[in-house]
Amino acid sequence: MRLTRLKVAAAAVLVASTLAACGDAGDDDDKGRDVDVQDNAAEEFDTGTRMRELADAGSIKIGVKYDQPGIGFKGATDDTPVGFDPEIGKILAADLGIAPEDIDWVETISANREAFLQEGEVDLVIASYSITDERKQVVGQAGPYYVTGQQLLVKSDSDIASLADVKGTEVCSVTGSTSLDNIEAEGATPRGFDTYSECVDQVLNGTVDAMTTDGAILLGYAAEHPDDLKVVVDPFSEERYGVGYSLDSPEMCQWIVDTLAEAEDDGDWAEAFEITLGKSGVETPEPPAMDPCP
Amino acid sequence: MEDVFSNFDLVLKAFWMTVQLAVLSGAVAMVLGTLLAALRVGPVSVLRGLAATYVTLVRNTPLLVVCVFVFFAAPNLGLLVGAPFLVKGTIAVSLYTTPFIAEAIRSGVNAVPLGQAEAARAIGMTFAQNMRHVVLPQAFRASVPPLASTLIAMTKNTSVVAVFGIMEATARMRYFVNRNADDTILIFAVFAVGYIILVELISVAAVGLERRWKAAR
């Protein structure tokens, strides 16, 4: 009896360790790029600025998306999110002397980004956050660090080839997103889901005719299902991704713009792009010029 | 500030979708719920058991899970692929609401004095006749308040389908919030008022029925 129990315990340990080993296997890549963390960064900023406070504290809370492959994605078993947005976050944090492992990643969804900034839940929002006039009324937005446009993801054998073809079809995206809003204006029936992956599922099983959002995200999904899905239609909107910050610390804008401009010049930006969105086969674009700070 | 008012037709359309969902789901759930309640008090023990199982199973499943099953699992298995979203929404919400309706009506059945059913049986009525002419009419009267509560909860529950492809009030509210980050409080207020109006209509109808049927008893 005792022996049997021992055997069971041994077997359990064996299974557990095998599983753990499996979990480790995938961790080697996808860690993102190494960044040069500034030494003594705090001294570079004036006392009283938010940058100085963050540099002194040695940690920063950054809001990113967890469900957009290539942009910002965190799998159920991952420790940190990966994607272009987190890479931009690491570049900004490094300038404050904060190492990637000291960044507090917080999941933000489209609907809570303004509230999180206003309430100080996060210091920065880098979450495919398009710059708009309405948003600038309540939060600060610096950038753009990336410009993309809305496209369509359809089944490989779909008849949809131009934007005019979506009239009368059912097109899904994330509930409340700008993409859904634009496609409705084109005469399609909008179908809002909670996440992009649920929406892709609906395209794959044939419930809806197409999925729409920023081209970069669609390419990520098309790369996952190369035989079943394709991206069609030239970009028909312009989304300018900016970094969100609280209006309580307007001094952050110039710092963000300067840091990003520097990253664009010395190639960090391009490298961040290549290891994330670039994986889906798109060429690395010219980095966009920054808007002046208010 | 003006966006929600200058696009008020979108708000009305969204609430019309909510109303359609609530009315269709409510009607289906009332019919199935009554049937289920009758089975649960009926003479056939197998049907009694089946009905009790359904009630226990679905009543303990969150609506979100029921929705995931109808909107994701079923199409992946090749079921309901061509079905309109309104039909899928109605299936999900009514499936979930049915056991609550059944239990509300069963509580009404228990409020009917036992002598009534025995008298009906004594004059030769079958179980179905007994239910139709004697027990259920009285049971409905007694269960108006719990039925109203269930229907009110159901109307608010329709908001869950906002993330399952249906452009009802809550989904449309998210659309406005995304476009007008500077106006969230006003937008919430407009949509809250919409839901309050819908719920109040059900309450008023319930109070009216209660008053009318009280006099008749």
Side-chain angles (χ1 to χ4, degrees):
Chain A
M1 181 69 189
R2 162 153 281 171
L3 196 70
T4 331
R5 208 181 282 166
L6 204 69
K7 267 187 195 158
V8 169
V13 168
L14 205 69
V15 167
S17 54
T18 320
L19 284 177
C22 287
D24 283 344
D27 274 1
D28 297 338
D29 42 42
D30 280 357
K31 271 280 178 203
R33 52 187 284 276
D34 293 327
V35 288
D36 297 326
V37 180
Q38 290 272 352
D39 295 326
N40 303 325
E43 285 152 25
E44 286 183 22
F45 300 103
D46 297 335
T47 21
T49 61
R50 185 72 189 135
M51 290 81 83
R52 178 70 183 250
E53 286 172 35
L54 290 169
D56 281 336
S59 74
I60 186 168
K61 282 179 285 185
I62 302 180
V64 292
K65 293 264 180 81
Y66 280 7
D67 68 333
Q68 297 180 353
I71 304 268
F73 185 82
K74 184 170 177 271
T77 57
D78 297 341
D79 296 330
T80 51
V82 291
F84 189 56
D85 284 346
E87 292 303 327
I88 294 290
K90 285 188 213 166
I91 290 173
L92 289 170
D95 193 64
L96 295 172
I98 299 167
E101 55 269 23
D102 292 326
I103 301 174
D104 251 335
W105 300 107
V106 180
E107 181 178 14
T108 49
I109 57 164
S110 293
N112 67 17
R113 291 176 296 197
E114 289 83 20
F116 270 26
L117 283 171
Q118 285 170 319
E119 289 154 15
E121 287 282 333
V122 294
D123 300 303
L124 297 174
V125 163
I126 313 177
S128 56
Y129 199 15
S130 301
I131 301 177
T132 69
D133 291 338
E134 286 80 10
R135 285 172 183 159
K136 276 194 194 163
Q137 301 291 317
V138 285
V139 296
Q141 290 190 303
Y145 60 89
Y146 184 57
V147 179
T148 179
Q150 193 175 340
Q151 287 178 283
L152 294 172
L153 180 74
V154 294
K155 273 195 167 175
S156 328
D157 56 357
S158 168
D159 294 333
I160 298 175
S162 73
L163 193 53
D165 295 338
V166 301
K167 196 163 244 156
T169 62
E170 293 186 330
V171 181
C172 69
S173 192
V174 166
T175 306
S177 65
T178 320
S179 322
L180 208 57
D181 182 3
N182 294 340
I183 204 70
E184 190 179 15
E186 298 292 337
T189 308
R191 294 291 174 207
F193 288 88
D194 214 15
T195 63
Y196 291 104
S197 40
E198 288 169 359
C199 183
V200 171
D201 217 24
Q202 300 287 308
V203 177
L204 281 169
N205 69 31
T207 310
V208 303
D209 302 294
M211 164 176 174
T212 185
T213 184
D214 303 341
I217 301 168
L218 297 180
L219 284 169
Y221 283 112
E224 279 180 16
H225 305 273
D227 297 333
D228 303 319
L229 299 172
K230 62 178 180 186
V231 177
V232 293
V233 181
D234 288 331
F236 56 95
S237 73
E238 193 187 60
E239 304 300 330
R240 308 163 71 246
Y241 289 177
V243 178
Y245 59 92
S246 167
L247 282 180
D248 293 339
S249 25
E251 70 275 10
M252 289 183 99
C253 181
Q254 198 57 52
W255 162 68
I256 294 167
V257 167
D258 291 344
T259 312
L260 291 180
E262 202 184 301
E264 292 185 352
D265 288 341
D266 63 17
D268 286 354
W269 186 91
E271 201 187 327
F273 187 90
E274 279 151 21
I275 62 162
T276 54
L277 290 173
K279 276 187 180 168
S280 57
V282 274
E283 269 178 52
T284 308
E286 275 296 303
M290 301 282 163
D291 291 347
C293 280
Chain B
M1 187 74 181
E2 315 80 43
D3 199 38
V4 67
F5 289 112
S6 58
N7 290 300
F8 208 70
D9 56 320
L10 293 180
V11 179
L12 291 179
K13 238 170 84 184
F15 272 107
W16 172 231
M17 182 51 91
T18 296
V19 169
Q20 286 179 21
L21 257 177
V23 170
L24 287 175
S25 308
V28 174
M30 281 296 269
V31 172
L32 293 181
T34 310
L35 208 71
L36 213 58
L39 291 182
R40 285 205 73 176
V41 298
V44 187
S45 70
V46 176
L47 292 178
R48 252 196 336 254
L50 279 178
T53 310
Y54 177 84
V55 167
T56 315
L57 212 67
V58 181
R59 198 164 58 155
N60 290 306
T61 309
L63 175 54
L64 202 65
V65 175
V66 178
C67 283
V68 167
F69 183 78
V70 172
F71 287 96
F72 298 144
N76 283 346
L77 296 173
L79 304 165
L80 294 173
V81 170
F85 276 77
L86 180 60
V87 170
K88 282 190 267 193
T90 304
I91 291 175
V93 176
S94 59
L95 216 65
Y96 174 79
T97 312
T98 297
F100 293 95
I101 299 274
E103 289 301 273
I105 292 174
R106 197 167 66 96
S107 77
V109 170
N110 288 337
V112 178
L114 197 59
Q116 296 270 335
E118 283 174 349
R121 216 166 48 212
I123 59 168
M125 279 189 180
T126 63
F127 174 72
Q129 285 172 328
N130 193 343
M131 276 285 139
R132 223 177 93 209
H133 300 294
V134 180
V135 177
L136 279 182
Q138 299 184 72
F140 270 119
R141 285 175 194 186
S143 51
V144 167
L147 279 178
S149 296
T150 306
L151 290 176
I152 285 170
M154 183 204 68
T155 304
K156 294 186 286 184
N157 281 341
T158 58
S159 62
V160 170
V161 302
V163 292
F164 293 96
I166 299 178
M167 204 40 128
E168 47 67 77
T170 301
R172 188 56 84 179
M173 182 179 79
R174 290 216 201 168
Y175 155 98
F176 279 113
V177 167
N178 183 57
R179 287 215 310 192
N180 305 278
D182 47 342
D183 248 357
T184 43
I185 293 173
L186 174 84
I187 295 165
F188 282 136
V190 167
F191 280 88
V193 167
Y195 275 109
I196 290 169
I197 291 172
L198 289 187
V199 167
E200 270 308 304
L201 286 176
I202 300 174
S203 315
V204 167
V207 170
L209 277 181
E210 237 184 304
R211 205 168 280 157
R212 229 173 101 191
W213 282 346
K214 199 198 266 167
R217 194 136 96 169

